[in-house]
Amino acid sequence: MCGRYLYDKNEQILFDYYEEITSRGVDVSDLKDGTIYPSNQVVTLGANPEGKIVPGITRWGFTGFKPSQLMINARVETVREKKTFQGPFEDQRIVFPMSAFFEFSEDKEAYTFSDSGRVIYVGGFYRIYPDKKTGQKQAESIILTTEPDEVVRPIHNRMPLLIPQADIAKWILDDGFAFNYQKPTHQQLEPTKMS
């Protein structure tokens, strides 16, 4: 998956997630919308201590071993085999809500993929990690990728792991469901070539 996606607050659901976060008194001054890039603070959906699915804020990307390294994606097929990803994936799954995601072709042409104006939900996970500059703990997140479907395949060899809206709670809370969910087939994506 390309390293950016779109979060358009003009879409009511995405605006509502943003508003719910602000209503809890959370500082949203660094929260990004519009075109989202790695290292941005973004809206994600996760479980609170009571098991209710709520929006929160994570930083997109795991801090790497080198100071400038940022890991933003993981392959769903091998995520449980990677030491850095296994624990967070098994224990702290989340969903990234978005308007569309970007991919680049081999010819460096940019495309967006959306779902007829509906919000797209993408599987991921997070970890709590100390910020190397401030020492304070922050939530860092990863987007999961999978093999492309017939729409994305002509453009790119990977795509985000799409989660049906009805299955968000199962993805986050049900280990059996999440561990076996690797290839979505539920959405009809529409590619748009960027000019």
Side-chain angles (χ1 to χ4, degrees):
M1 174 185 161
C2 177
R4 58 184 165 137
Y5 66 88
L6 182 64
Y7 189 100
D8 184 355
K9 283 197 303 186
N10 290 319
E11 296 185 45
Q12 188 64 49
I13 295 173
L14 299 183
F15 178 79
D16 290 347
Y17 292 146
Y18 183 89
E19 286 294 293
E20 185 175 338
I21 292 169
T22 61
S23 72
R24 298 196 304 260
V26 176
D27 178 8
V28 295
S29 58
D30 291 332
L31 186 59
K32 300 297 182 187
D33 62 290
T35 302
I36 304 296
Y37 294 91
S39 82
N40 285 165
Q41 298 288 332
V42 300
V43 174
T44 50
L45 306 180
N48 68 12
E50 291 75 41
K52 180 181 176 185
I53 307 305
V54 296
I57 301 174
T58 63
R59 174 180 173 263
W60 181 22
F62 275 20
T63 302
F65 302 107
K66 299 174 184 175
S68 61
Q69 185 182 24
L70 196 65
M71 299 173 281
I72 62 170
N73 298 330
R75 292 175 173 259
V76 71
E77 302 93 337
T78 59
V79 67
R80 296 180 74 200
E81 299 168 12
K82 307 293 183 184
K83 187 175 180 181
T84 301
F85 299 149
Q86 180 184 13
F89 170 73
E90 291 179 352
D91 300 329
Q92 296 167 160
R93 288 181 301 278
I94 55 174
V95 169
F96 291 73
M98 59 185 69
S99 309
F101 62 90
F102 293 76
E103 298 292 0
F104 283 89
S105 70
E106 287 185 9
D107 299 329
K108 307 299 183 192
E109 294 176 317
Y111 290 80
T112 61
F113 291 87
S114 60
D115 184 13
S116 303
R118 291 187 290 268
V119 172
I120 294 172
Y121 295 93
V122 172
F125 53 92
Y126 76 98
R127 70 177 180 184
I128 303 298
Y129 196 78
D131 185 292
K132 290 182 178 178
K133 292 179 183 176
T134 66
Q136 295 185 350
K137 293 182 179 179
Q138 64 178 355
E140 300 183 326
S141 54
I142 291 277
I143 286 178
L144 283 162
T145 67
T146 188
E147 295 179 1
D149 63 15
E150 64 279 359
V151 177
V152 179
R153 187 176 299 113
I155 308 300
H156 200 72
N157 64 354
R158 301 293 295 174
M159 67 178 284
L161 182 69
L162 306 178
I163 307 293
Q165 186 175 8
D167 289 337
I168 290 173
K170 283 198 290 188
W171 167 260
I172 293 171
L173 299 170
D174 184 338
D175 291 346
F177 177 85
F179 296 172
N180 291 293
Y181 187 83
Q182 295 193 356
K183 187 105 172 90
T185 58
H186 70 287
Q187 285 179 285
Q188 296 299 313
L189 294 174
E190 299 174 359
T192 303
K193 187 175 180 180
M194 303 294 289
S195 52

